[in-house]
Amino acid sequence: MTKRVSKVFAGSRIRELRGRIRKTQQDLAKDLGLSPSYLNQIENDQRPIPPPLMLKLCNLFDVSPAYFGDSDEIRQIQALREILGDPLFKSASLRPVELQAAVRGAPALADRFVTLYRAYRTIIRERNDAENAQYNKLLSGEGLAAPQIDTSGTPVVAEQVTTVSPYESVGDWVQRERNYFDEIDCAAEDLYEILDFSEGLLAANLERYLRDHHGVKILTDSSLDSRSVIWRFDKRGRRLLMADGVPSESSVFYMAQVVGRLGYGRLLDRAVKRSGLTSSDARDLAHVGMSNYFAGALLLPYTRFRQSARTKSHDLDQLQRQFGVSFEQVCHRLSTLQRPGQEGLPFYFIKTDIAGNILKSYSATRFNMPRFGGLCSLWNVFRAFATPGELQVQVSRTTDDAVFLNVARTVGHAGTSYFDRPRRVAIVLGCSVSHASELVYAAGLDLSDERTIIPIGPGCRACIRTDCRHRAIPAAGFQIDAGGEERGVVPYHMVAQSGE
């Protein structure tokens, strides 16, 4: 397969790195052997970064080439395209070149615009919920509460303070950190090595550690399941209670979480404080996320796991058996291997339910998930739901012409009774097809045959493909031709606007 080489414009990233070490543009130009005027052009995106200069920058700032990639720019452009597809903006859609210019010229402003739109959507959702609640009250005969009146006779309107969802805030923070938290990762790895944990005996190792170092006992509580609780930590009684039937790989993860909370609470607190998250709900969620991160780093220590992943060609089933963890834990851990100078393959990781709601996502690649719309129906994650437990392999091409190799599989437990409704979700893990030789899942694939590559998009509203037979709604920025001379599967043609 012929690999297309694209120019890399990353002036804002160079300025950010230069600011960290407090160097002037002239000082950095001297270090790089450039003229100040040439560096100025690069920092203002008037010139791309040549490969030799990219290598110098990586060595100087101790970062990988992926740091200068355009994945963040692509994510912002896609988000803006989705937003401008909202009927609120009518015909305000911008051409791709204009969106790119806006993001490159004012990335902070573009980010604020996305945040503002999120807040707007939250307000609309809350308003609709409130109106539905009032309507239901009327139907039930409760009527409406009498309005409160102030001393001047004016009705008092409760102030509604709406912010971006805590889940979205935490997700954005994790993405900015590239899903890697060095202090936590190294601390967990050091603990694994100091205590000489064994890969096949994690449950016994963790149970002994909790008992000897924290006086915590592991017990089963049959009442938890009836309350839809998986585990509960009784801090006063020094007991970790688990529901009946918890899989072994889940129980070791819960124990590792408690180890992090009890022994490394200050470290987790420090990471959350640095996040800049303002709401208490977001900080609480971030703390849970850091506990989860510590647990994953303890069960799958960085150096050992990274080496095993390479040796086994990233065979997820083999890694799962070797470390005694779940399929999801292996996939998520692979997406966190971003330690400077010791990076693993750049994966994207997505967890979604059968309705297409994204429950968790992270991308160390150019792959981008829709932020305001649905998922592409051609994606193999939906085929995974039709074949529970079976691994689905797909080679796909996104609308920005990037080609990815990804695998998808459902995860979850079986029902315990006829009336049980087990949660069924799917995991997708993928990376650029340029790394196919390092993945066991490329075995038998003819990557040179364009017919085997599935064209997927970021969701119909932001997808610019005009020939898709699976389109649900028109894309933003296109005119609709519903002429009656011919009819396809989709009852209209999308026509690019002038200058598109």
Side-chain angles (χ1 to χ4, degrees):
M1 180 177 296
T2 303
K3 183 178 180 181
R4 302 185 184 183
V5 179
S6 59
K7 296 179 180 180
V8 177
F9 294 87
S12 60
R13 293 174 178 81
I14 296 177
R15 288 196 300 272
E16 179 184 353
L17 290 173
R18 180 165 60 80
R20 289 182 187 176
I21 60 176
R22 299 184 178 180
K23 275 187 177 289
T24 65
Q25 196 175 76
Q26 188 170 3
D27 290 337
L28 181 59
K30 184 177 180 181
D31 292 342
L32 296 171
L34 306 175
S35 68
S37 61
Y38 183 56
L39 179 58
N40 181 269
Q41 290 177 320
I42 291 175
E43 287 197 6
N44 286 285
D45 288 331
Q46 295 173 3
R47 289 179 178 269
I49 304 177
L53 178 59
M54 175 82 73
L55 182 61
K56 287 184 180 180
L57 289 167
C58 291
N59 292 333
L60 178 63
F61 293 108
D62 192 23
V63 296
S64 71
Y67 181 85
F68 299 99
D70 53 4
S71 57
D72 291 336
E73 177 181 299
I74 293 173
R75 264 188 286 275
Q76 279 191 312
I77 291 174
Q78 178 184 303
L80 291 178
R81 188 176 188 89
E82 288 185 68
I83 290 171
L84 293 175
D86 191 307
L88 172 73
F89 296 100
K90 297 181 180 179
S91 60
S93 297
L94 301 177
R95 291 178 293 130
V97 66
E98 294 174 310
L99 292 175
Q100 187 178 52
V103 170
R104 285 182 179 174
L109 181 61
D111 189 58
R112 300 294 191 281
F113 181 74
V114 173
T115 300
L116 180 63
Y117 181 75
R118 280 178 170 173
Y120 159 76
R121 281 170 58 92
T122 303
I123 291 173
I124 296 300
R125 185 169 57 249
E126 291 179 350
R127 181 179 297 168
N128 289 339
D129 289 345
E131 290 177 352
N132 288 336
Q134 294 284 35
Y135 180 68
N136 290 333
K137 281 186 176 181
L138 285 173
L139 290 179
S140 65
E142 294 181 27
L144 297 176
Q148 297 181 357
I149 307 297
D150 64 14
T151 54
S152 65
T154 304
V156 176
V157 179
E159 182 180 358
Q160 185 179 43
V161 179
T162 306
T163 61
V164 175
S165 160
Y167 281 98
E168 292 177 327
S169 299
V170 174
D172 287 346
W173 167 55
V174 172
Q175 181 66 57
R176 287 195 303 271
E177 297 296 329
R178 299 183 179 272
N179 202 18
Y180 178 73
F181 299 87
D182 189 68
E183 281 188 305
I184 297 175
D185 214 300
C186 291
E189 184 176 28
D190 289 345
L191 179 61
Y192 186 101
E193 300 298 341
I194 290 171
L195 297 177
D196 194 24
F197 280 2
S198 301
E199 293 170 2
L201 301 171
L202 279 175
N205 291 331
L206 289 169
E207 187 169 354
R208 184 179 64 252
Y209 178 81
L210 284 170
R211 183 188 65 239
D212 296 346
H213 289 77
H214 298 289
V216 174
K217 294 181 179 180
I218 313 298
L219 301 172
T220 299
D221 186 344
S222 58
S223 69
L224 293 180
D225 192 58
S226 63
R227 293 182 281 134
S228 298
V229 176
I230 302 174
W231 64 274
R232 183 171 69 85
F233 180 54
D234 178 8
K235 191 172 184 179
R236 178 175 296 180
R238 311 306 286 178
R239 301 182 305 165
L240 176 56
L241 307 173
M242 295 196 190
D244 281 326
V246 172
S248 59
E249 60 268 21
S250 298
S251 64
V252 295
F253 189 80
Y254 304 146
M255 285 190 276
Q257 279 184 305
V258 175
V259 169
R261 291 173 59 184
L262 294 179
Y264 296 85
R266 291 183 179 178
L267 185 64
L268 306 183
D269 289 340
R270 193 154 61 236
V272 174
K273 287 179 181 177
R274 291 172 180 168
S275 69
L277 297 169
T278 56
S279 77
S280 59
D281 287 345
R283 289 193 297 271
D284 289 344
L285 285 172
H287 206 286
V288 172
M290 292 302 95
S291 297
N292 291 341
Y293 189 95
F294 179 91
L298 179 59
L299 301 182
L300 300 163
Y302 196 102
T303 305
R304 287 176 181 247
F305 180 70
R306 174 175 171 270
Q307 181 58 43
S308 292
R310 289 182 176 276
T311 301
K312 298 181 185 302
S313 297
H314 300 85
D315 189 311
L316 302 174
D317 293 304
Q318 287 193 24
L319 292 171
Q320 185 180 347
R321 285 196 299 272
Q322 176 184 343
F323 289 93
V325 295
S326 70
F327 181 84
E328 179 178 348
Q329 289 162 12
V330 168
C331 291
H332 186 268
R333 185 58 169 150
L334 284 172
S335 76
T336 69
L337 300 183
Q338 298 299 309
R339 182 176 292 178
Q342 302 178 51
E343 294 90 346
L345 294 189
F347 284 101
Y348 65 81
F349 168 90
I350 300 172
K351 182 178 180 179
T352 178
D353 65 15
I354 197 169
N357 299 307
I358 294 178
L359 310 177
K360 187 191 301 184
S361 66
Y362 166 72
S363 178
T365 71
R366 292 179 61 182
F367 188 88
N368 297 290
M369 290 69 67
R371 304 174 75 173
F372 305 105
L375 298 178
C376 179
S377 62
L378 288 172
W379 208 15
N380 63 342
V381 65
F382 296 108
R383 181 168 295 181
F385 283 111
T387 56
E390 181 180 327
L391 201 69
Q392 296 288 338
V393 180
Q394 182 183 67
V395 180
S396 54
R397 173 176 278 116
T398 57
T399 53
D400 61 338
D401 215 29
V403 181
F404 295 92
L405 174 61
N406 65 70
V407 296
R409 204 195 85 179
T410 55
V411 297
H413 66 83
T416 57
S417 75
Y418 174 74
F419 298 102
D420 191 13
R421 299 293 183 268
R423 188 187 196 200
R424 186 65 65 183
V425 298
I427 302 297
V428 187
L429 185 77
C431 69
S432 170
V433 77
S434 62
H435 300 292
S437 62
E438 300 178 71
L439 298 174
V440 67
Y441 304 104
L445 297 179
D446 183 0
L447 301 177
S448 64
D449 190 344
E450 292 283 330
R451 295 172 300 176
T452 65
I453 303 176
I454 307 300
I456 66 172
C460 290
R461 195 162 72 183
C463 181
I464 59 175
R465 301 191 192 280
T466 58
D467 58 349
C468 180
R469 296 164 56 90
H470 301 265
R471 179 170 292 282
I473 58 174
F478 286 82
Q479 295 177 339
I480 301 301
D481 177 11
E485 298 300 322
E486 60 182 21
R487 167 67 188 266
V489 176
V490 179
Y492 53 80
H493 295 292
M494 293 193 336
V495 181
Q497 294 180 357
S498 176
E500 182 73 26

